[in-house]
Amino acid sequence: MFALPGLVFFVCVVVVPFFYGFYLTLTDWNGMNPVKTFVGFSNYVVTLHDAAFWSSMWLTIKYVFFSVLLINVLAFLLAYLLTNGMKGQNVFRGGFFTPNLIGGVVLGFIWEFIFSRVLVSFGKGTGIALFTSSWLSDPTKAFWALVIVTVWQLTGYMMLIYIAGFTSMSHDVLEAASIDGATGWKRMRDIIMPLMVPSIVICTFFSLSRAFMVYDINLTLTKGGPYDTTRLVAMYVYDMAFKSRKYGVGQAEALFLFLLVAVVSIIQVQLGRSREVEA
Amino acid sequence: MAKTNQVRGTREKVIATIEWILVLLLFLLVLFPFVMVAINSLKVKRDIIMNPFSIITARGLTFNNYVEAFVKMHFIRSFFNSLMVTGLATCLSILTSSMLAYYLVRYVNKFTAIVSAILIASMIIPFQALMIPLVSIYGAGLGVLNHRLTLVFMHTGFALAMSTFIYQGFIKSGIPLALEEAALIDGCSKYGIFFRVVFPLLGPTTATLVILNVLAFWNDYLLPSLVLSLKELLTLPLTTYTFYGTYSANYGVIMAALVLTVLPILILYFALQSKIIEGVVSGAVK
């Protein structure tokens, strides 16, 4: 009886839809018709030939790569600096976390204003060419805008996890290392980094899965534009199902996304585990 | 000797100052967008377009943007929709996940091992792989979309795996079995043991999960947008989205709407800042 209520929610919302999704990929459902005609594997064939889908997948991989890398490097650095007893470190920690309180929809809108109005006005005022036209109307710059907003949002969260890692690190080991002459970069590479592997694994996992699923920031910041050049795979699947009304194809493409996330997460966790050390 | 120490001392001070300035610059960069939105929410449209940076403007400051946004986005209604959905879903997910976690830790057998494994595995399923079947089952199949309770139900289901996982970690390491045995001898029922002995001891973990779930439910856009389309039911992120679409040319009102949307959660944050930061950290480390 203790397990029942929770399991009911979980089975109804996660397990059943997950398997029902496989069935949907074998039909030509359009979202309205009560009859779902069985079409075999043709949705998968369509998916494999859908060049726009694969280019959006590739775009997503690039986006995830740069976002996750920048988020973790910055968060690690900030956490390192903010555990040194710096003046005002609690205010800094609190401030860096604030973007995480706010949902993606609002964040996207806030930055849309910054990119298309504030920075343009700054560029025109100072003559800095980089900002004279809106970043959101240029495909390459719009991609980087998306990365910047994601980094801006998630770095504070990951910083907190790294801070927890730094504070729980054994000071004896660090002291012993200093006495043995390990300082500066050597101390960072040979002592601190290996001890921080568990935190790095968690943060990479979190930022990976968040970045792969990003939809709302994408929707409100660039709407996929200009000309669908920044349409990440989450938005692509949404549009395929709910705008083009091809639910079967959309679901088949969603399963490819699932496969990619699963493979990347498993590799990442295994890689991290093999480098874990005991202090 | 004394001299080298002094040199090293000065060098360290310089490095510390550079580090401090670096962090301060990043800090200002993080707050910059908020400041921009806040000051422009008080200006009239022409001033925003002419000079978004200035605080003192040609046409003076105005609160009209706020009045207009507040009325036209039906702020009170959306706020209470969000509050109700978030509140109910948080209570339900805390209750069901703590009970499930307790069961999984205390009754170890093949079944519970499988359930635990499935819960963990489910955490890598992206929401996009579930949204189409969800709409198909709950929309076309059962016809229960456009009810706030459906959204509550789904939020609870999606939060379950993570919450149960975090509770499991805490129950394993933090709840002594002897305590439960003592309660049993004193004549406490199985439910009594859970609700009177175990659940109160889970307090810190419950606080963590309340924070994580409230933030997730309150800010979610995609799931509510699939479930709710009736105007009267829209949550704050949904209202903000439609409002932006309608008033996209009127910058001042838009900025005011964004501030209004962010305000409730910011107030909560400033009231509970240390607790929220603690909660996020312990939620991730377990």
Short mmCIF file of all heavy atoms in Angstrom, two decimals, chain A residues 67-83 93 154-169 192-193 195-208 268, chain B residues 277 280-282 284-285:
data_model
loop_
_atom_site.label_atom_id
_atom_site.label_comp_id
_atom_site.label_asym_id
_atom_site.label_seq_id
_atom_site.Cartn_x
_atom_site.Cartn_y
_atom_site.Cartn_z
N SER A 67 27.45 24.38 -24.68
CA SER A 67 26.79 24.80 -23.44
C SER A 67 27.36 24.05 -22.25
O SER A 67 27.75 24.65 -21.25
CB SER A 67 25.28 24.56 -23.50
OG SER A 67 24.74 25.16 -24.63
N VAL A 68 27.39 22.72 -22.35
CA VAL A 68 27.83 21.90 -21.22
C VAL A 68 29.28 22.22 -20.86
O VAL A 68 29.63 22.38 -19.69
CB VAL A 68 27.64 20.40 -21.52
CG1 VAL A 68 28.31 19.54 -20.47
CG2 VAL A 68 26.16 20.07 -21.60
N LEU A 69 30.11 22.37 -21.89
CA LEU A 69 31.52 22.68 -21.63
C LEU A 69 31.67 24.02 -20.91
O LEU A 69 32.30 24.12 -19.86
CB LEU A 69 32.27 22.72 -22.97
CG LEU A 69 33.77 22.84 -22.86
CD1 LEU A 69 34.37 21.51 -22.42
CD2 LEU A 69 34.39 23.27 -24.19
N LEU A 70 31.04 25.06 -21.46
CA LEU A 70 31.17 26.40 -20.87
C LEU A 70 30.56 26.46 -19.47
O LEU A 70 31.14 27.04 -18.55
CB LEU A 70 30.51 27.44 -21.78
CG LEU A 70 31.28 27.77 -23.04
CD1 LEU A 70 30.45 28.66 -23.96
CD2 LEU A 70 32.58 28.47 -22.69
N ILE A 71 29.38 25.85 -19.31
CA ILE A 71 28.72 25.86 -18.01
C ILE A 71 29.64 25.26 -16.96
O ILE A 71 29.86 25.84 -15.89
CB ILE A 71 27.40 25.04 -18.05
CG1 ILE A 71 26.34 25.77 -18.85
CG2 ILE A 71 26.90 24.75 -16.64
CD1 ILE A 71 25.14 24.91 -19.17
N ASN A 72 30.21 24.10 -17.27
CA ASN A 72 30.98 23.40 -16.24
C ASN A 72 32.32 24.06 -15.96
O ASN A 72 32.75 24.12 -14.81
CB ASN A 72 31.14 21.93 -16.62
CG ASN A 72 29.85 21.17 -16.36
OD1 ASN A 72 29.56 20.83 -15.23
ND2 ASN A 72 29.06 20.95 -17.40
N VAL A 73 32.98 24.58 -17.00
CA VAL A 73 34.25 25.27 -16.76
C VAL A 73 34.01 26.51 -15.89
O VAL A 73 34.68 26.73 -14.87
CB VAL A 73 34.92 25.67 -18.09
CG1 VAL A 73 36.08 26.61 -17.85
CG2 VAL A 73 35.38 24.43 -18.83
N LEU A 74 33.01 27.31 -16.27
CA LEU A 74 32.72 28.53 -15.52
C LEU A 74 32.26 28.22 -14.09
O LEU A 74 32.71 28.85 -13.13
CB LEU A 74 31.61 29.31 -16.24
CG LEU A 74 32.03 30.49 -17.06
CD1 LEU A 74 30.81 31.11 -17.72
CD2 LEU A 74 32.74 31.53 -16.18
N ALA A 75 31.37 27.23 -13.97
CA ALA A 75 30.83 26.90 -12.65
C ALA A 75 31.93 26.39 -11.74
O ALA A 75 32.00 26.75 -10.57
CB ALA A 75 29.73 25.85 -12.79
N PHE A 76 32.83 25.58 -12.30
CA PHE A 76 33.95 25.03 -11.53
C PHE A 76 34.84 26.17 -11.04
O PHE A 76 35.19 26.25 -9.86
CB PHE A 76 34.75 24.06 -12.40
CG PHE A 76 35.75 23.25 -11.66
CD1 PHE A 76 35.41 22.01 -11.14
CD2 PHE A 76 37.04 23.71 -11.46
CE1 PHE A 76 36.33 21.25 -10.45
CE2 PHE A 76 37.97 22.96 -10.77
CZ PHE A 76 37.62 21.72 -10.26
N LEU A 77 35.16 27.06 -11.96
CA LEU A 77 36.02 28.20 -11.63
C LEU A 77 35.38 29.08 -10.55
O LEU A 77 36.02 29.43 -9.55
CB LEU A 77 36.25 29.02 -12.90
CG LEU A 77 37.26 30.15 -12.79
CD1 LEU A 77 38.66 29.58 -12.83
CD2 LEU A 77 37.07 31.16 -13.92
N LEU A 78 34.11 29.39 -10.73
CA LEU A 78 33.41 30.23 -9.75
C LEU A 78 33.36 29.56 -8.39
O LEU A 78 33.60 30.19 -7.36
CB LEU A 78 31.98 30.52 -10.23
CG LEU A 78 31.82 31.61 -11.27
CD1 LEU A 78 30.36 31.71 -11.70
CD2 LEU A 78 32.30 32.95 -10.73
N ALA A 79 33.07 28.25 -8.39
CA ALA A 79 32.98 27.53 -7.12
C ALA A 79 34.34 27.55 -6.42
O ALA A 79 34.43 27.76 -5.21
CB ALA A 79 32.53 26.10 -7.36
N TYR A 80 35.41 27.37 -7.21
CA TYR A 80 36.76 27.39 -6.65
C TYR A 80 37.05 28.74 -6.01
O TYR A 80 37.54 28.83 -4.89
CB TYR A 80 37.77 27.09 -7.77
CG TYR A 80 39.20 27.08 -7.33
CD1 TYR A 80 39.67 26.07 -6.49
CD2 TYR A 80 40.08 28.08 -7.74
CE1 TYR A 80 40.99 26.06 -6.07
CE2 TYR A 80 41.40 28.07 -7.33
CZ TYR A 80 41.85 27.06 -6.49
OH TYR A 80 43.15 27.05 -6.08
N LEU A 81 36.71 29.82 -6.72
CA LEU A 81 36.98 31.16 -6.20
C LEU A 81 36.09 31.49 -5.01
O LEU A 81 36.50 32.18 -4.09
CB LEU A 81 36.77 32.20 -7.31
CG LEU A 81 37.77 32.15 -8.47
CD1 LEU A 81 37.40 33.16 -9.53
CD2 LEU A 81 39.18 32.39 -7.97
N LEU A 82 34.85 30.98 -5.03
CA LEU A 82 33.91 31.35 -3.97
C LEU A 82 33.96 30.43 -2.76
O LEU A 82 33.08 30.45 -1.91
CB LEU A 82 32.47 31.40 -4.53
CG LEU A 82 32.22 32.54 -5.52
CD1 LEU A 82 30.80 32.49 -6.06
CD2 LEU A 82 32.47 33.89 -4.86
N THR A 83 34.99 29.57 -2.69
CA THR A 83 35.19 28.80 -1.46
C THR A 83 36.51 29.20 -0.81
O THR A 83 37.00 28.54 0.09
CB THR A 83 35.18 27.28 -1.73
OG1 THR A 83 35.88 27.02 -2.93
CG2 THR A 83 33.78 26.74 -1.84
N ARG A 93 27.32 34.10 -4.35
CA ARG A 93 26.67 32.81 -4.58
C ARG A 93 25.18 32.97 -4.85
O ARG A 93 24.64 32.40 -5.79
CB ARG A 93 26.83 31.91 -3.34
CG ARG A 93 28.23 31.39 -3.13
CD ARG A 93 28.27 30.54 -1.88
NE ARG A 93 29.63 30.16 -1.53
CZ ARG A 93 29.92 29.34 -0.53
NH1 ARG A 93 28.95 28.86 0.24
NH2 ARG A 93 31.17 29.02 -0.28
N LEU A 154 22.28 28.26 -16.35
CA LEU A 154 22.61 27.04 -15.61
C LEU A 154 23.90 27.10 -14.80
O LEU A 154 24.10 26.28 -13.90
CB LEU A 154 22.66 25.85 -16.56
CG LEU A 154 21.30 25.38 -17.07
CD1 LEU A 154 21.47 24.20 -18.00
CD2 LEU A 154 20.40 24.98 -15.91
N THR A 155 24.79 28.05 -15.11
CA THR A 155 26.08 28.07 -14.41
C THR A 155 25.91 28.17 -12.90
O THR A 155 26.58 27.47 -12.14
CB THR A 155 26.94 29.22 -14.95
OG1 THR A 155 27.17 29.00 -16.33
CG2 THR A 155 28.28 29.27 -14.24
N GLY A 156 24.99 29.01 -12.44
CA GLY A 156 24.81 29.20 -11.01
C GLY A 156 24.41 27.93 -10.28
O GLY A 156 24.89 27.64 -9.19
N TYR A 157 23.55 27.15 -10.91
CA TYR A 157 23.10 25.89 -10.32
C TYR A 157 24.28 24.92 -10.17
O TYR A 157 24.52 24.37 -9.10
CB TYR A 157 22.05 25.28 -11.24
CG TYR A 157 21.17 24.21 -10.63
CD1 TYR A 157 19.79 24.37 -10.62
CD2 TYR A 157 21.70 23.05 -10.08
CE1 TYR A 157 18.97 23.41 -10.08
CE2 TYR A 157 20.88 22.09 -9.53
CZ TYR A 157 19.52 22.26 -9.54
OH TYR A 157 18.72 21.31 -9.00
N MET A 158 25.03 24.76 -11.25
CA MET A 158 26.16 23.83 -11.21
C MET A 158 27.22 24.34 -10.25
O MET A 158 27.87 23.56 -9.56
CB MET A 158 26.75 23.65 -12.61
CG MET A 158 25.76 23.13 -13.63
SD MET A 158 24.90 21.64 -13.09
CE MET A 158 23.32 21.86 -13.87
N MET A 159 27.37 25.66 -10.18
CA MET A 159 28.33 26.25 -9.23
C MET A 159 28.02 25.79 -7.80
O MET A 159 28.93 25.43 -7.05
CB MET A 159 28.26 27.77 -9.32
CG MET A 159 29.08 28.49 -8.28
SD MET A 159 28.54 30.22 -8.10
CE MET A 159 27.02 30.01 -7.18
N LEU A 160 26.74 25.78 -7.45
CA LEU A 160 26.36 25.35 -6.09
C LEU A 160 26.78 23.90 -5.83
O LEU A 160 27.26 23.57 -4.76
CB LEU A 160 24.86 25.48 -5.89
CG LEU A 160 24.30 26.89 -5.76
CD1 LEU A 160 22.81 26.84 -5.45
CD2 LEU A 160 25.03 27.65 -4.66
N ILE A 161 26.60 23.04 -6.84
CA ILE A 161 26.98 21.64 -6.65
C ILE A 161 28.49 21.51 -6.51
O ILE A 161 28.99 20.77 -5.66
CB ILE A 161 26.46 20.78 -7.83
CG1 ILE A 161 24.94 20.92 -7.94
CG2 ILE A 161 26.83 19.31 -7.62
CD1 ILE A 161 24.34 20.21 -9.13
N TYR A 162 29.23 22.28 -7.32
CA TYR A 162 30.69 22.26 -7.19
C TYR A 162 31.13 22.81 -5.84
O TYR A 162 32.09 22.33 -5.24
CB TYR A 162 31.36 23.05 -8.33
CG TYR A 162 31.39 22.31 -9.65
CD1 TYR A 162 30.88 22.87 -10.81
CD2 TYR A 162 31.96 21.03 -9.74
CE1 TYR A 162 30.91 22.20 -12.02
CE2 TYR A 162 32.00 20.35 -10.95
CZ TYR A 162 31.48 20.94 -12.08
OH TYR A 162 31.51 20.27 -13.28
N ILE A 163 30.44 23.84 -5.36
CA ILE A 163 30.79 24.40 -4.06
C ILE A 163 30.64 23.32 -2.98
O ILE A 163 31.50 23.15 -2.12
CB ILE A 163 29.91 25.63 -3.72
CG1 ILE A 163 30.37 26.83 -4.55
CG2 ILE A 163 30.00 25.98 -2.23
CD1 ILE A 163 29.54 28.09 -4.35
N ALA A 164 29.55 22.56 -3.07
CA ALA A 164 29.36 21.47 -2.11
C ALA A 164 30.51 20.48 -2.20
O ALA A 164 31.01 19.99 -1.18
CB ALA A 164 28.03 20.77 -2.39
N GLY A 165 30.97 20.20 -3.42
CA GLY A 165 32.10 19.30 -3.61
C GLY A 165 33.37 19.84 -2.97
O GLY A 165 34.08 19.13 -2.26
N PHE A 166 33.64 21.13 -3.20
CA PHE A 166 34.86 21.74 -2.63
C PHE A 166 34.81 21.76 -1.11
O PHE A 166 35.81 21.50 -0.45
CB PHE A 166 35.02 23.18 -3.14
CG PHE A 166 35.67 23.26 -4.49
CD1 PHE A 166 35.00 23.82 -5.57
CD2 PHE A 166 36.95 22.77 -4.69
CE1 PHE A 166 35.58 23.89 -6.82
CE2 PHE A 166 37.56 22.84 -5.93
CZ PHE A 166 36.86 23.39 -7.01
N THR A 167 33.65 22.07 -0.54
CA THR A 167 33.60 22.18 0.93
C THR A 167 33.70 20.82 1.61
O THR A 167 34.16 20.75 2.74
CB THR A 167 32.31 22.89 1.41
OG1 THR A 167 31.33 22.78 0.39
CG2 THR A 167 32.54 24.33 1.73
N SER A 168 33.29 19.76 0.89
CA SER A 168 33.37 18.46 1.55
C SER A 168 34.72 17.79 1.31
O SER A 168 34.99 16.70 1.80
CB SER A 168 32.24 17.56 1.07
OG SER A 168 32.43 17.27 -0.29
N MET A 169 35.59 18.47 0.53
CA MET A 169 36.90 17.88 0.23
C MET A 169 37.78 17.88 1.48
O MET A 169 37.78 18.84 2.23
CB MET A 169 37.56 18.69 -0.88
CG MET A 169 38.62 17.91 -1.62
SD MET A 169 39.44 18.92 -2.81
CE MET A 169 38.17 19.49 -3.83
N ILE A 192 43.16 18.14 -6.72
CA ILE A 192 41.78 18.64 -6.64
C ILE A 192 40.88 17.98 -7.69
O ILE A 192 39.82 17.46 -7.37
CB ILE A 192 41.75 20.18 -6.81
CG1 ILE A 192 42.54 20.82 -5.66
CG2 ILE A 192 40.33 20.69 -6.82
CD1 ILE A 192 42.60 22.31 -5.70
N MET A 193 41.32 17.99 -8.94
CA MET A 193 40.48 17.45 -10.01
C MET A 193 40.05 16.00 -9.75
O MET A 193 38.86 15.70 -9.82
CB MET A 193 41.19 17.56 -11.36
CG MET A 193 41.34 18.96 -11.85
SD MET A 193 39.80 19.65 -12.44
CE MET A 193 40.18 19.76 -14.16
N LEU A 195 39.71 14.42 -7.00
CA LEU A 195 38.77 14.36 -5.88
C LEU A 195 37.42 14.95 -6.24
O LEU A 195 36.41 14.67 -5.60
CB LEU A 195 39.34 15.12 -4.67
CG LEU A 195 40.51 14.43 -3.95
CD1 LEU A 195 41.05 15.32 -2.86
CD2 LEU A 195 40.06 13.10 -3.38
N MET A 196 37.40 15.80 -7.26
CA MET A 196 36.14 16.44 -7.65
C MET A 196 35.37 15.63 -8.69
O MET A 196 34.30 16.05 -9.13
CB MET A 196 36.41 17.84 -8.20
CG MET A 196 36.75 18.87 -7.14
SD MET A 196 35.38 19.21 -6.02
CE MET A 196 34.39 20.29 -7.06
N VAL A 197 35.91 14.48 -9.11
CA VAL A 197 35.25 13.72 -10.18
C VAL A 197 33.76 13.45 -9.90
O VAL A 197 32.94 13.66 -10.80
CB VAL A 197 36.02 12.41 -10.50
CG1 VAL A 197 35.17 11.47 -11.33
CG2 VAL A 197 37.30 12.74 -11.24
N PRO A 198 33.38 13.04 -8.67
CA PRO A 198 31.95 12.81 -8.47
C PRO A 198 31.10 14.04 -8.77
O PRO A 198 30.05 13.95 -9.42
CB PRO A 198 31.85 12.43 -6.99
CG PRO A 198 33.20 11.94 -6.63
CD PRO A 198 34.16 12.68 -7.48
N SER A 199 31.55 15.22 -8.32
CA SER A 199 30.80 16.45 -8.61
C SER A 199 30.76 16.72 -10.10
O SER A 199 29.73 17.14 -10.64
CB SER A 199 31.43 17.66 -7.91
OG SER A 199 31.58 17.43 -6.56
N ILE A 200 31.89 16.49 -10.76
CA ILE A 200 31.94 16.75 -12.21
C ILE A 200 30.95 15.82 -12.93
O ILE A 200 30.23 16.25 -13.84
CB ILE A 200 33.38 16.56 -12.76
CG1 ILE A 200 34.31 17.60 -12.11
CG2 ILE A 200 33.41 16.69 -14.27
CD1 ILE A 200 35.78 17.43 -12.46
N VAL A 201 30.89 14.56 -12.49
CA VAL A 201 29.97 13.61 -13.13
C VAL A 201 28.52 14.08 -12.96
O VAL A 201 27.75 14.14 -13.93
CB VAL A 201 30.13 12.19 -12.53
CG1 VAL A 201 29.02 11.27 -13.03
CG2 VAL A 201 31.48 11.63 -12.91
N ILE A 202 28.15 14.47 -11.73
CA ILE A 202 26.76 14.91 -11.50
C ILE A 202 26.44 16.14 -12.33
O ILE A 202 25.41 16.21 -12.99
CB ILE A 202 26.54 15.23 -10.01
CG1 ILE A 202 26.69 13.97 -9.16
CG2 ILE A 202 25.17 15.83 -9.79
CD1 ILE A 202 26.70 14.25 -7.70
N CYS A 203 27.35 17.12 -12.30
CA CYS A 203 27.07 18.37 -13.02
C CYS A 203 26.98 18.14 -14.52
O CYS A 203 26.13 18.73 -15.19
CB CYS A 203 28.15 19.40 -12.72
SG CYS A 203 27.96 20.12 -11.10
N THR A 204 27.86 17.31 -15.06
CA THR A 204 27.80 17.06 -16.50
C THR A 204 26.49 16.36 -16.84
O THR A 204 25.82 16.71 -17.81
CB THR A 204 28.98 16.18 -16.97
OG1 THR A 204 30.11 16.50 -16.19
CG2 THR A 204 29.28 16.39 -18.42
N PHE A 205 26.12 15.38 -16.02
CA PHE A 205 24.87 14.66 -16.27
C PHE A 205 23.68 15.61 -16.26
O PHE A 205 22.86 15.60 -17.17
CB PHE A 205 24.69 13.56 -15.21
CG PHE A 205 23.43 12.76 -15.38
CD1 PHE A 205 23.36 11.76 -16.33
CD2 PHE A 205 22.31 13.03 -14.60
CE1 PHE A 205 22.19 11.03 -16.50
CE2 PHE A 205 21.14 12.31 -14.76
CZ PHE A 205 21.09 11.30 -15.72
N PHE A 206 23.62 16.45 -15.23
CA PHE A 206 22.51 17.41 -15.11
C PHE A 206 22.47 18.36 -16.29
O PHE A 206 21.42 18.56 -16.91
CB PHE A 206 22.68 18.25 -13.83
CG PHE A 206 21.93 17.72 -12.67
CD1 PHE A 206 21.68 16.36 -12.54
CD2 PHE A 206 21.48 18.57 -11.67
CE1 PHE A 206 20.99 15.87 -11.45
CE2 PHE A 206 20.79 18.08 -10.57
CZ PHE A 206 20.55 16.73 -10.46
N SER A 207 23.62 18.96 -16.61
CA SER A 207 23.61 19.96 -17.66
C SER A 207 23.34 19.31 -19.02
O SER A 207 22.65 19.89 -19.86
CB SER A 207 24.90 20.78 -17.66
OG SER A 207 26.03 19.98 -17.45
N LEU A 208 23.85 18.09 -19.21
CA LEU A 208 23.57 17.37 -20.45
C LEU A 208 22.08 17.15 -20.65
O LEU A 208 21.51 17.50 -21.69
CB LEU A 208 24.23 15.99 -20.42
CG LEU A 208 25.61 15.83 -21.02
CD1 LEU A 208 26.12 14.43 -20.76
CD2 LEU A 208 25.56 16.09 -22.52
N GLN A 268 28.96 8.93 -20.45
CA GLN A 268 29.49 9.97 -19.56
C GLN A 268 29.62 9.46 -18.13
O GLN A 268 30.63 9.67 -17.48
CB GLN A 268 28.56 11.18 -19.66
CG GLN A 268 28.99 12.37 -18.85
CD GLN A 268 28.23 12.48 -17.57
OE1 GLN A 268 27.07 12.13 -17.50
NE2 GLN A 268 28.90 12.95 -16.54
N ILE B 277 19.28 27.64 -1.27
CA ILE B 277 20.61 27.25 -1.74
C ILE B 277 21.02 25.91 -1.12
O ILE B 277 21.46 25.00 -1.82
CB ILE B 277 21.63 28.36 -1.44
CG1 ILE B 277 21.34 29.54 -2.36
CG2 ILE B 277 23.05 27.86 -1.64
CD1 ILE B 277 22.31 30.67 -2.27
N VAL B 280 19.01 23.05 -2.82
CA VAL B 280 19.46 22.70 -4.16
C VAL B 280 20.72 21.86 -4.07
O VAL B 280 20.88 20.85 -4.75
CB VAL B 280 19.72 23.97 -4.99
CG1 VAL B 280 20.43 23.63 -6.27
CG2 VAL B 280 18.41 24.68 -5.27
N VAL B 281 21.63 22.24 -3.16
CA VAL B 281 22.88 21.51 -3.02
C VAL B 281 22.63 20.09 -2.53
O VAL B 281 23.10 19.12 -3.13
CB VAL B 281 23.84 22.24 -2.06
CG1 VAL B 281 25.03 21.36 -1.72
CG2 VAL B 281 24.30 23.54 -2.68
N SER B 282 21.85 19.93 -1.45
CA SER B 282 21.70 18.57 -0.92
C SER B 282 20.89 17.71 -1.89
O SER B 282 21.05 16.50 -1.92
CB SER B 282 21.08 18.59 0.47
OG SER B 282 19.91 19.34 0.47
N ALA B 284 21.25 17.67 -5.03
CA ALA B 284 22.11 17.22 -6.11
C ALA B 284 23.14 16.22 -5.63
O ALA B 284 23.56 15.34 -6.36
CB ALA B 284 22.83 18.41 -6.73
N VAL B 285 23.56 16.37 -4.36
CA VAL B 285 24.69 15.58 -3.91
C VAL B 285 24.30 14.17 -3.52
O VAL B 285 25.07 13.24 -3.66
CB VAL B 285 25.40 16.31 -2.75
CG1 VAL B 285 26.52 15.47 -2.19
CG2 VAL B 285 25.94 17.64 -3.25
#
